[in-house]
Each structure stands twice: as C-alpha cells, then as structure tokens.
Amino acid sequence: MTVLDDARAMSDDLVELRHRLHQHPEIGLDLPWTQEQVLAAIDGLPLEVTTGSDVSSVTAVLRGGAGSGGRAVLLRGDMDALPVQERTGLDYAATGATMHACGHDLHTTMMVGAARLLAARRDELHGDVVLMFQPGEEGYDGAGHMVKAGVLDAAGTTVEAALALHVTSSFLPQGMFATRGGPVMSAADVLRVTVRGAGGHGSAPHRAKDPIPAACEMVTALQTMATRRFDVFDPVVVTIGAFHAGTAHNVIPDDATFEATLRSFSPEAHVRLLEETVRICRGIAAAHGLEVDAEATELYPVTVNSATEVDAFASVVEQVHGDGKFIELPNPLTGSEDFCRVLDRVPGTMAFLGACLPDRDLMTAPYNHSPEAAFDDAVLPDGAAVYAEWALHRLQRP
Ligand SMILES: [Zn+2]
Ligand SMILES: [Zn+2]
C-alpha cells in the first residue's frame, strides 16, 4: 500500500471530519471548538501534543524511529474561518455569520490525515515531524504568535524545512498542485490617513480649510506613484478601500479619512512602498496648508519560497500523483499569508492545491473568501498524502 492508498482508505473519515469542521466555523485566534475537534481526531496517536497558552493552537510532534535524530521538519495547517455568511447551498453549509470560505477546514483535515499516515510509518521517518495547527491566519498573525511561542523548536531542534498547502476553489484544476520558487504571495500593509482641515460653510471655502480635495488628490497621486515610482517588473498594488468625509452637501467637514491596502512582491518594494505612500500624503497636505496623520503599518511581509525546496516538493507531488499534477506558477498570487513568518526563518514551500467542484467552471467558479466558494472533498486524501510523503522524503535528504 502506498501512502496515497492509505490516505484514500481513510477518505470517509476525513470527509466526515471536514464537514463537521465546516459546520462550526470559528474566527480569529480563539477557536476552542475547533481545537477540541483536532485534539480528539489525533488522540491515541503517538504524538507529543501541546496547546497554545494565548491562542487556540495545537502543536504535535511525531518522533521518527529510523535514526538521524536531531532533524525535524514542519507541516502547517490553518484552522480559522471568516466573517462571511455562507451561500453555497451545500447540505453541510454553515448557517451562522461565519464560514470556512478559505478552505481552512480542508487544511485542518489534511493535517489530521497526515498525522495518521505518518504515525503508521513512524519507523521509516528519519527525524521528527512538527504538526502546526494554527488559528488566526485571516489577518490575526496566528503563525507569528506560534513562531514567537517556539513552534519551530517544538521538537527540541529547529526545523530545517516547512510545508504549507492551501486549497483554491477556482483557477487551478482539481487535484493540481502549484507554486513557484521565490516570492509566491504578496506583502500586505495598511495605509491610514486623516487629513485635518477646518470646517465651514460650503458657500465660502476660503473661510475654511477643505480637507476633501486634498484627500482626493492623495488618492489619485497614490495611483500615479504605483506606476511611476515602481518598476513594472516589480509592481505594487494600492487600493483605497474606504474613504469617509462630510455629512451634508453644504458643509465643509473638519477632516477626511481613508484607508488603503498596499501589496508588494519583493522585500525592497515592500520597504519603499511603506515610505513613499506616507511621503506623498504628507507632501500633498503640506502643499495645501493642511495637517495630516498618515501611517503605513506592516501586516505581513512577502511570502518567499526556497527554489530548491520547491523543486523537491514538485518531485514529491509527481511521485505521489504521477506526471502532470504539478504546475509552476508564472507569477505570485496577490493574496498574503502569515506562513511568511515561518518561511522568513526556515526554507520551505507554500503551495496551492486545486479544489474546484467538478460541476463548476474553473475560470468563473467563486474564489476563496466568496460566500459561494466551495471546495471538493475529493482532494482531502491527495493533500494528506503529499504532506506525509513530503515529510518522509525531506527527512531522508542528506
Ligand atoms: Zn483566506
Ligand atoms: Zn487561507
């Protein structure tokens, strides 16, 4: 029996667990119910299990039995959901105000599958495996919390490589693995701006200090900056997602505020984008004689894969699933990931796994985070097997 055969043999169990998780989505860093399900699902396996003290994480260490002590690798699966109201119409759909719209219920389940597969092959493991079940991926930096709490050293030695899989509800064919060496997901930052003027009568702007035209100028100047100040081959994205000012057509307000998401794909562009956006807002405010509070806050840096690790991952995928199941992405994705906290410290791979429902069109199927995003259970054993095989292989590498 291959690892994949074993994974397929536990398919029904995995589907049942995934549906259960799907029906009880929890968001943020505190996922008590989900944590309980994970602990129950890995209960009885020969694992050293610890839970987070400030977040609902689960760290499980499997000790290899085939010698080469002092080596360890890490598998990451995130467990949190989103504040989205599900509209998939599936019979196991969540009914409240939260939803596993990013497929993290599949990641949690595939990690449980991998734990079982590896525990059964413990004697073939040339080192230890750290299973990182993390909360709070969706904007709460759960990975950062776990890294600070020492997950990379959970086996007593720092892990030498790490792998995270992420399902997609469209764009990748079902069962297809995809990633690239180098930057694979963007850095994400937030720009927050408050332009401070002086309110007055709409008919007499010369007696007031109108913050609105200056704030509008900032919005367009930021778009100009994105194309004039950054290399077209190292691009950035600036999207103003919120803009608020004023209460009535004939009243000049005291201030105007807006917020933007900033995305970049190289550490250099990341640093410069934080500086330039603030400089532009301050410059425009000064030109109009207005005060401004402009602050760019870093959320997540760029997620960068090791090229060597990606090559090794691709050969594991082909060994498990045969030729043609791995594609190299031509470009990074514009989303962001807190797995960057792990890949900032150890080499590894963040890879995507296509989980589009067979009756949906790849190109038009609702994408992750949509209330209609749906993920195919059929990929659960595929992902579990790749997690497990990768750990077995990576610990054999000299
Ligand atoms: Zn997400
Ligand atoms: Zn996600």
Side-chain angles (χ1 to χ4, degrees), residues 18 76 78 80-82 84 88 99-107 137-138 165-172 185 333-337 350-357 360 362-376:
R18 189 245 156 169
R76 193 293 297 258
D78 42 12
D80 58 319
L82 286 155
V84 170
T88 58
M99 172 187 175
H100 271 295
C102 203
H104 298 182
D105 49 337
L106 284 89
H107 307 161
E137 192 287 321
E138 297 289 358
L165 295 179
H166 203 304
V167 290
T168 65
S169 57
S170 63
F171 103 85
L172 278 179
M185 296 191 84
L333 303 190
T334 53
S336 303
E337 248 293 336
M350 165 102 219
F352 305 95
L353 167 57
C356 186
L357 293 184
R360 288 188 172 179
L362 262 191
M363 291 306 146
T364 57
Y367 191 48
N368 294 36
H369 290 206
S370 156
E372 283 153 31
F375 303 85
D376 195 348

Side-chain angles (χ1 to χ4, degrees), residues 142-279:
H145 279 82
M146 289 188 74
V147 167
K148 271 198 205 108
V151 69
L152 303 180
D153 300 306
T157 178
T158 305
V159 295
E160 59 189 82
L163 170 68
L165 295 179
H166 203 304
V167 290
T168 65
S169 57
S170 63
F171 103 85
L172 278 179
Q174 194 229 73
M176 183 72 81
F177 292 81
T179 189
R180 70 195 300 276
V184 66
M185 296 191 84
S186 72
D189 305 305
V190 189
L191 174 70
R192 291 192 178 86
V193 179
T194 301
V195 183
R196 301 196 187 284
H201 201 292
S203 67
H206 59 289
R207 295 187 190 282
K209 284 185 177 176
D210 191 349
I212 292 182
C216 292
E217 231 176 285
M218 290 173 197
V219 170
T220 51
L222 288 168
Q223 298 310 317
T224 306
M225 173 211 69
T227 64
R228 305 295 92 182
R229 299 284 300 152
F230 287 85
D231 188 334
V232 68
F233 296 111
D234 187 8
V236 298
V237 177
V238 178
T239 294
I240 288 86
F243 189 109
H244 301 285
T247 53
H249 68 96
N250 57 355
V251 178
I252 292 171
D254 279 333
D255 41 47
T257 62
F258 67 90
E259 289 186 4
T261 188
L262 311 176
R263 307 285 166 139
S264 50
F265 301 90
S266 72
E268 298 73 31
H270 182 217
V271 170
R272 207 152 63 76
L273 186 59
L274 290 170
E275 293 165 2
E276 297 239 356
T277 49
V278 169
R279 190 173 53 78

Side-chain angles (χ1 to χ4, degrees), residues 283-313:
I284 290 172
H288 291 284
L290 300 173
E291 301 291 318
V292 68
D293 298 330
E295 197 184 6
T297 313
E298 181 183 295
L299 282 187
Y300 293 149
V302 185
T303 302
V304 184
N305 279 338
S306 144
T308 324
E309 292 292 338
V310 167
D311 286 348
F313 172 77

